[in-house]
Amino acid sequence: MTNQKSTNENQTQENAWQIGTRTLPPPAGASDAMCTSIAETPQPDPAFMQIEPQSEAEWLAVIAQFDAGKVDAVQALSEQLSVSYEQKQIEGINIYHLTPAEVDPRHEDHLFVYVHGGAFVLNGGEAGLAEPILIAHRAKMRVLSIDYRMPPKYPTPAGRDDVVTVYQHLLKEQAAKSMALGGTSGGGNLVMATVQRLIELGLDVPGALYLGTPGTDMSKTGDSWYTNDGIDRLLATYDGFLEAASRLYAGGRDLKDPLVSPHYGKVEGFPPTFLVTGTRDMLLSNTARTHIKLRQAGVVADILVYDGTSHGDYIVVMDSPESYHAFAELNAFLLRYLE
Amino acid sequence: MTNQKSTNENQTQENAWQIGTRTLPPPAGASDAMCTSIAETPQPDPAFMQIEPQSEAEWLAVIAQFDAGKVDAVQALSEQLSVSYEQKQIEGINIYHLTPAEVDPRHEDHLFVYVHGGAFVLNGGEAGLAEPILIAHRAKMRVLSIDYRMPPKYPTPAGRDDVVTVYQHLLKEQAAKSMALGGTSGGGNLVMATVQRLIELGLDVPGALYLGTPGTDMSKTGDSWYTNDGIDRLLATYDGFLEAASRLYAGGRDLKDPLVSPHYGKVEGFPPTFLVTGTRDMLLSNTARTHIKLRQAGVVADILVYDGTSHGDYIVVMDSPESYHAFAELNAFLLRYLE
């Protein structure tokens, strides 16, 4: 809900339950494709995420390790789905124009402005283009993906400022309500922070938002950080890498500062927002809480929760019914709200 | 998703993960009122639910034990909220007319037809009136609650048939689209099964449905039966009482028979449907899966997920912001879709 007061903070340390061991079969409520993928995945190992780089050099090495192979995968996906992309600059910020083989006439005047995820440090450059390729292909619309500045060199609000700068530039030739702004995970965080900034600046907000399993609260507040610890096959755990990356992004700010966790900022005046998560998602609580907060502020907001899926599984298992359904729903939402 | 095929069934037995112990603090992402209530609750003890009555007499004893004190609580709530109720019969079926102190003029011609929950065996008679009193009070509308036949004497489809009979009777004087049909838990199951039957019979469906954390799939399929085992403070676990009650209700039918688990039946032609669940809800997966299935069939369906809340916590902690918000959203939904 809207207020996190000291009562809750204190209770976090007391009254905790010790949850015993349990056996978790692959999710039979998911589609065959999703269930099979999960059944074939090694069990998430929280120890694997106990990475806390101590210097800029160590961070860059870890980032390179996580991002290895992604550009090749992106190029292959681009060919497979016939989505071409081109690198450009807007006011000194690196961006990519993505063009599908065919543009839906209903999207002729629309633009999807995409903000990639990756815990605020990963997926820079071409490595961040997998989901925007999927969106361009499935929604048959043009996408502009922003390669915003990231830590270790640039903590918040550098990335947000880049998104604002590009958006403001686009406004010169593209009506606000004809643009969608969206992204997954850390990208969802930046989308929310960007819209808060646009409202502060008195600028027109986009026609619709997409928050895919958004990292809108990087403090360890949402319940699913605990309940899905060791269960989310992508994130595995908050402790270690995710917390370290969040603190690096925060650059000394409190993790509940809206520039780090925009869930704590204002959402009045937000455009219609589409959210996606899963029952095994460590960001299930983030997504659900932000959805409720938007609804409480009178914002049109739709959430989809896919059974048995972890953080971003709708991208990971892109040939699953869940993935097709999520992007079809996103597209229907855009067609409904973009002008 | 829509199809559960044998692949998933087989995988359920293999590739299971052993999830280790973990510490679960009270949910800081919930409201203070909700978080405090949860912090003050003893940790759910799955052993407490290891009840499997073996005879009709044993079932009746267990039901009496679970329902003890509920009528007193219902009468106190009725006085506190100034909602009066009157017992009547419709075609031999016991029903209750609930009338709030004030009816919203917008609801003047509306009727909420309520189907109580309770694992298909509990909450018979006045014991089932807590939630309909809340609905009558908060939505300021008239409610008719159906005291349908239940096991151990009457397995499915007796209860559903009672709901259909009452609804058909009401149709003589009340337009279908002016009625909402809804309930929580087992009540959500019966609502779904009832609408499937109405469509089979070619009858007009209600104007809107309410499925509160619905027991739409009583087989142990949804992922949250596992992930929230020992975490849902109301249900605690599937194994034991819940499974036994489901099998009693099934009366020899397979647990995936749509008369037991209407999630596996058709949903084409369903009216707009409002669903509520929570991240600790053992029926999170049920609710999320049914929501997605409805959307896939082109049905208008909205889901709300409250952080840290267990099965039915929006009724249990009725003075929480979550509870007020859930019923306010339900009411807004009804005002939008009832005619």
Side-chain angles (χ1 to χ4, degrees), chain B residues 183-203:
Chain B
T184 279
S185 193
N189 174 307
L190 280 150
V191 165
M192 199 171 174
T194 294
V195 175
Q196 287 167 340
R197 183 65 178 152
L198 297 178
I199 292 170
E200 277 172 13
L201 294 171
L203 294 168

Side-chain angles (χ1 to χ4, degrees), chain A residues 8 11 17-19 21-24 28 30 32 35 39 43 223 226-227 229 280 285 295 302 307 329, chain B residues 8 11 15 17-19 21-24 28 30 32 35 39 43 223 226-227 229 280 285 295 302 307 329:
Chain A
N8 285 4
Q11 281 168 353
W17 297 341
Q18 299 305 314
I19 307 298
T21 55
R22 88 243 349 258
T23 300
L24 181 62
D32 278 3
C35 186
Q43 178 162 358
D223 200 43
Y226 299 89
T227 54
D229 186 83
R280 292 191 181 187
S285 292
R295 303 270 294 214
D302 252 14
D307 197 30
E329 285 262 5
Chain B
N8 284 3
Q11 282 169 351
N15 305 103
W17 297 342
Q18 300 305 313
I19 307 298
T21 56
R22 85 233 2 250
T23 300
L24 180 62
D32 279 3
C35 187
Q43 178 163 357
D223 201 42
Y226 299 89
T227 54
D229 186 83
R280 292 191 182 188
S285 292
R295 303 270 293 215
D302 254 14
D307 196 31
E329 285 262 6

Side-chain angles (χ1 to χ4, degrees), chain B residues 1 28 97 140-141 168 183 189 226 249 268-270 276 329:
Chain B
M1 309 300 283
H97 288 290
K140 295 189 171 69
M141 72 187 294
Q168 266 196 284
N189 174 307
Y226 299 89
Y249 181 66
E268 282 73 16
F270 266 49
V276 182
E329 285 262 6

Side-chain angles (χ1 to χ4, degrees), chain A residues 1 3-5 7-8 11-12 14-32 35-36 38-44 221-224 226-231 233 274 279-280 284-285 288-289 291-292 295-296 302-308 321-322 325 329 336, chain B residues 1 3-5 7-8 11-12 14-32 35-36 38-44 221-224 226-231 233 274 279-280 284-285 288-289 291-292 295-296 302-308 321-322 325 329 336:
Chain A
M1 309 300 286
N3 299 325
Q4 270 69 41
K5 304 205 193 88
T7 320
N8 285 4
Q11 281 168 353
T12 301
E14 303 165 13
N15 305 103
W17 297 341
Q18 299 305 314
I19 307 298
T21 55
R22 88 243 349 258
T23 300
L24 181 62
S31 69
D32 278 3
C35 186
T36 300
I38 294 166
E40 290 170 359
T41 304
Q43 178 162 358
T221 299
D223 200 43
S224 58
Y226 299 89
T227 54
N228 283 335
D229 186 83
I231 289 175
R233 66 176 175 152
F274 177 81
T279 63
R280 292 191 181 187
L284 167 64
S285 292
R289 291 167 65 214
H291 174 246
I292 298 282
R295 303 270 294 214
Q296 287 179 314
D302 252 14
I303 187 173
L304 297 181
V305 185
Y306 291 98
D307 197 30
E322 285 85 348
H325 185 252
E329 285 262 5
R336 181 165 181 186
Chain B
M1 309 300 283
N3 300 325
Q4 269 69 41
K5 304 207 194 88
T7 319
N8 284 3
Q11 282 169 351
T12 300
E14 303 166 13
N15 305 103
W17 297 342
Q18 300 305 313
I19 307 298
T21 56
R22 85 233 2 250
T23 300
L24 180 62
S31 68
D32 279 3
C35 187
T36 299
I38 294 166
E40 290 171 358
T41 305
Q43 178 163 357
T221 299
D223 201 42
S224 58
Y226 299 89
T227 54
N228 283 336
D229 186 83
I231 289 175
R233 65 175 176 153
F274 178 82
T279 63
R280 292 191 182 188
L284 167 64
S285 292
R289 290 166 66 214
H291 175 246
I292 299 282
R295 303 270 293 215
Q296 287 178 313
D302 254 14
I303 188 173
L304 297 180
V305 184
Y306 290 99
D307 196 31
E322 285 86 347
H325 184 253
E329 285 262 6
R336 181 166 181 186

Side-chain angles (χ1 to χ4, degrees), chain B residues 20 59 61-62 100 104-105 140 145 156 166 247 258 268 277 312 317:
Chain B
W59 270 108
V62 165
D104 184 329
K140 295 189 171 69
S145 184
T156 191
V166 169
R247 292 198 184 281
E268 282 73 16
T277 182
V317 195

Side-chain angles (χ1 to χ4, degrees), chain B residues 174-242:
Chain B
Q174 181 92 31
K177 292 285 173 284
S178 73
M179 286 190 275
L181 183 64
T184 279
S185 193
N189 174 307
L190 280 150
V191 165
M192 199 171 174
T194 294
V195 175
Q196 287 167 340
R197 183 65 178 152
L198 297 178
I199 292 170
E200 277 172 13
L201 294 171
L203 294 168
D204 288 339
V205 298
L209 304 183
Y210 162 52
L211 302 180
T213 172
T216 49
D217 180 1
M218 297 314 298
S219 70
K220 199 174 179 181
T221 299
D223 201 42
S224 58
W225 290 122
Y226 299 89
T227 54
N228 283 336
D229 186 83
I231 289 175
D232 182 317
R233 65 175 176 153
L234 186 82
L235 296 181
T237 190
Y238 176 82
D239 307 323
F241 178 74
L242 267 189

